[in-house]
Amino acid sequence: MIFFKNIIRNFLFIAVLSTFYSYSYAQNQDTSRPSRTSAASAALAQDTLVSYIVKKVESYSFKIKRDRSAIKRNIKVNPIKESLPKIKKTLTAFSKRLSEKGRPMNLRGLNTAGIMLQENSDRLMSFQSTLTDYFNTLVENNASLKQIRNDKLLRISVTDTSLSRQMLSVLQSAIQLDSTQKSMLAKVTVLKNKVSVLLLQLNDIISEINYLTINVKTNMWGQEDESIFNDKWSDYNQSLLATTLSAFSINAKVVYIYLNNKWDTISFAFLLFIFITFWCYSNMRRVKKLAEADEVLAQVNFLKRSVITGCLMMFFTCLPFFFRNPQMSFLHICELFRLIALSYLLYPFLSKSFKPIWLLFILLWIYFAVDDLLLEPALTERWLLIIADILLIFICIKVIKNVKEIFITITDSPATKPLAIFCMSISFLSIVFEISGKPTLAKIFGVTAIQCLFIGITLKVFSTMAIELIYLQSEAYRESRFSEFINFKVLQNHLRKFLWFAALFVWTVSLFIDLDLYTLEARRVGYFLNTNRTIGNMSFTYASVAVFIGIIWLSSIVSGIINFFFTQQKSKDAVKKNSVGSMMLLVRLGIWSIGFIIAVAAAGIPLDKISIMLGALGVGIGFGLQNITNNLVSGIILAFERPIQIGDHIEIGNKAGVVDEIGVRSSKIKGFDGSDIIVPNGDLLSQHLINWTKQDRRKRLNFQIGVSYDADLNQVKQIIQDTVEANQEVLKDLPPSVLVDSFASSAIEISIFFWVGDLSIASTTKTNVMIEVYTALTKNKIIIPYPIVTVLRDNKEEENL
């Protein structure tokens, strides 16, 4: 497109210029024959050319000003130029440290160095990309500037002096800008070369760091150093104090570098913390205004102590999981704040004998955290590590012996004793490794022991507070429509199981991080999941299979949660629950369908494979899945037609009960004897179904009673009529009926019919009415005769005897 525009523009320019010169030539050749037409044409050509030149001058001036302004700002080059000396100084320091003789850096120091160097590598790559783009932009601008300098139109003599000065100014500005651009191109080229050299040096250092890291991890299981009893002070480069101060300084820089580009993640986590804190504080205020606030808050421990501190503890527990492979210094900072909040929450609930144990645990954790951050080995550090391991073993033994006496009002966890035994074993191995000359393993196992115990306590308190949050929510809004569907006791049991699973997963991940195995195992799992595998002509990865199964499983979880909230029998208003609960089948079917579609799309399964699978499924349905398909389709019909709803009293065949759940394939009926009756949905549509509560919950009841032939039937009817109508549970808008039914052998049978407003009280009302009728008839001296009972069988049995 630009090529054609240039051709058209040059063509117009040549045409105008040719016209102008032709008219000028004609005028010079024949001045004796003035022609008005020729003069007018020449004037028109002159005006057209001037107008074209003016537009070009304006365009060139704008472009020159824009390019000059961009060079003057110099925003792309100056920050890079200022940053390169600092990066070079960092590389020089690392090179000097790696070339020093003596003890090499420990594993934590190598990991920290790797993080800092990788951050600098990312910065240099970004600088290189920026400089390359800027260099290409300058080259393009210089090419267009060259076109301005070579434009012959700017060198044409025009009569307009102002325009002539502007043309000259554009040419001079273009020449000056060309010189400036070439100078800037030279500077950018030099910076590019410097960045490239630094990148080469940095990649060499990173390669050496990676080699040393692999070497340390490989050799740490062997004889890495002398036994601690044979070690000498002169073999170490620095004292423990100097090593500690240096580690603090370097780790502070590492944390700054690590968090420098992650403020968006931190901001999101902080906003989430504010939301949860506001939610908890709002629920706590509402609960305190209740009449039974003391009784409700008696079930709450940690959040009653302090809502803000509890939310801070949960925030610093969850914050590391917002980052992918968080840096260890950052983890320890989060753990320190978490330990402070946890101590404030937990200390009042500790028994008197375990409060000093907790203070000792805090001191040990601080030591292990500081020791884990040390980048250089020291002999004093090795001796202190053995002492700290011994003290930690003492704490674990104390916990194992007095596991029931740790807390005052908090329930003991069944995992406390196994966790203490595990941590004690790890601490003992740390001592063995330190004595046998394996300081790297000793430090890893020592830190892992204290971290496992600390994380176990943290997850125990975290899970308890999560349950307390749900409890406060259910109590603060107990009158809301949503809370009517929440049975907190059932929800608590489900939530506790989930929290146990989540805590076990988090504890396992933390264990792998502390053992420095997380990255290695993550790579192995990633390689296993992402390797292409084939079955016949179909290619797949275990990752796609896991994504498919995971989304289907997540859909079932969401469906189960919805089913749980809207089918738990907590509300006494069964009619309200019917209209909501019966629609859950459609919602669950929709969730399953959407989940299946998302799973197929996420797993990358081709549509032709889906059609083959559906075809195979159709063949299976045709041969052996008719009943299952019938039940599935029947479930959809039940959801749309709604002949029954959750909470309905129904009878099907010889079974009766209350509809408890309408599923996709089958429905559950709660029998009146407490049994759960599973009925396929196909039977609910194909068999005769009696629904006692389809329109309303009223029910007609009846019973019979016999009176003597000597009784006055009119009087008997009136007594029974008055007695039944006097009962408060009997409906007045549907008056009872008293009918003479038959003349039996020993009495006149009378049938009584009446209605009650709710079938849930039918049996009780019928019993009360029968007692009241019997009492009224007896009071009026109306005889209720005994039936004539035949005793032929008894006589026959006596004769046989």
Side-chain angles (χ1 to χ4, degrees), residues 322-591:
F322 285 88
F323 302 90
R324 181 179 176 270
N325 196 12
Q327 200 270 333
M328 189 57 66
S329 305
F330 173 69
L331 279 178
H332 286 323
I333 292 174
C334 294
E335 289 165 355
L336 178 61
F337 287 108
R338 187 201 313 162
L339 180 63
I340 296 172
L342 183 63
S343 300
Y344 180 81
L345 294 173
L346 200 61
Y347 196 77
F349 302 101
L350 291 171
S351 62
K352 188 175 181 180
S353 60
F354 268 86
K355 286 183 178 180
I357 299 295
W358 180 256
L359 295 177
L360 177 60
F361 176 82
I362 293 175
L363 295 176
L364 286 178
W365 184 89
I366 293 174
Y367 167 74
F368 276 109
V370 172
D371 185 63
D372 190 38
L373 297 178
L374 297 183
L375 307 180
E376 300 284 347
L379 183 57
T380 309
E381 171 201 2
R382 298 183 64 181
W383 283 106
L384 289 177
L385 183 62
I386 292 179
I387 297 173
D389 283 327
I390 293 173
L391 293 175
L392 184 57
I393 291 174
F394 166 75
I395 292 177
C396 293
I397 294 174
K398 188 75 173 176
V399 170
I400 294 170
K401 287 185 175 180
N402 306 282
V403 69
K404 300 293 183 182
E405 302 175 4
I406 301 176
F407 301 108
I408 300 175
T409 58
I410 301 176
T411 306
D412 295 316
S413 173
T416 302
K417 195 170 183 178
L419 181 61
I421 294 174
F422 177 80
C423 294
M424 183 178 65
S425 304
I426 296 296
S427 297
F428 178 76
L429 289 175
S430 175
I431 295 175
V432 173
F433 289 142
E434 191 67 81
I435 294 175
S436 61
K438 300 174 183 176
T440 301
L441 276 179
K443 178 186 285 191
I444 290 176
F445 275 68
V447 173
T448 300
I450 192 83
Q451 286 292 95
C452 287
L453 192 57
F454 177 44
I455 292 172
I457 299 170
T458 299
L459 294 176
K460 161 67 178 176
V461 177
F462 185 92
S463 303
T464 304
M465 283 198 297
I467 295 175
E468 289 179 0
L469 281 173
I470 303 299
Y471 174 70
L472 289 176
Q473 174 69 24
S474 63
E475 293 297 328
Y477 296 89
R478 61 172 63 178
E479 302 299 330
S480 66
R481 296 183 62 183
F482 180 75
S483 295
E484 291 182 354
F485 303 105
I486 299 179
N487 189 329
F488 176 73
K489 292 183 178 180
V490 180
L491 177 61
Q492 185 180 19
N493 294 331
H494 287 285
L495 187 61
R496 183 176 285 112
K497 294 178 182 178
F498 170 76
L499 289 174
W500 265 103
F501 175 78
L504 180 62
F505 174 77
V506 172
W507 185 86
T508 304
V509 172
S510 301
L511 176 63
F512 276 93
I513 292 175
D514 294 327
L515 290 174
D516 207 27
L517 297 174
Y518 177 78
T519 303
L520 177 62
E521 295 303 322
R523 289 176 181 173
R524 288 181 178 177
V525 173
Y527 177 78
F528 174 78
L529 292 177
N530 295 316
T531 302
N532 285 325
R533 307 174 192 276
T534 56
I535 297 179
N537 296 327
M538 185 175 65
S539 177
F540 69 97
T541 62
Y542 286 139
S544 61
V545 175
V547 168
F548 182 84
I549 296 175
I551 294 178
I552 295 296
W553 175 75
L554 183 62
S555 301
S556 66
I557 293 295
V558 174
S559 176
I561 290 173
I562 293 176
N563 184 59
F564 166 78
F565 277 114
F566 292 96
T567 59
Q568 293 298 320
Q569 298 295 329
K570 178 183 175 182
S571 175
K572 295 181 180 180
D573 191 353
V575 177
K576 183 185 293 185
K577 286 180 66 66
N578 284 347
S579 59
V580 177
S582 299
M583 293 300 296
M584 288 305 103
L585 177 59
L586 288 176
V587 176
R588 292 170 64 190
L589 286 173
I591 292 173

Side-chain angles (χ1 to χ4, degrees), residues 272-282 307-308 311-312:
L272 188 62
F273 159 72
I274 293 175
F275 170 75
I276 294 176
T277 304
F278 177 78
W279 173 45
C280 297
Y281 186 73
S282 175
V307 172
I308 296 179
C311 292
L312 278 172

Side-chain angles (χ1 to χ4, degrees), residues 721-741:
Q721 185 83 21
D722 295 339
T723 303
V724 175
E725 290 179 351
N727 191 290
Q728 295 182 353
E729 303 297 340
V730 176
L731 294 180
K732 302 301 185 290
D733 55 342
L734 295 173
S737 300
V738 181
L739 304 175
V740 177
D741 188 60

Side-chain angles (χ1 to χ4, degrees), residues 701-754:
L701 304 174
N702 70 289
F703 64 90
Q704 285 186 337
I705 190 171
V707 298
S708 173
Y709 277 93
D710 297 333
D712 186 354
L713 291 180
N714 291 328
Q715 180 187 7
V716 171
K717 287 182 60 178
Q718 190 61 42
I719 292 172
I720 295 175
Q721 185 83 21
D722 295 339
T723 303
V724 175
E725 290 179 351
N727 191 290
Q728 295 182 353
E729 303 297 340
V730 176
L731 294 180
K732 302 301 185 290
D733 55 342
L734 295 173
S737 300
V738 181
L739 304 175
V740 177
D741 188 60
S742 63
F743 296 100
S745 57
S746 59
I748 300 175
E749 300 291 341
I750 298 177
S751 298
I752 299 95
F753 301 89
F754 61 94

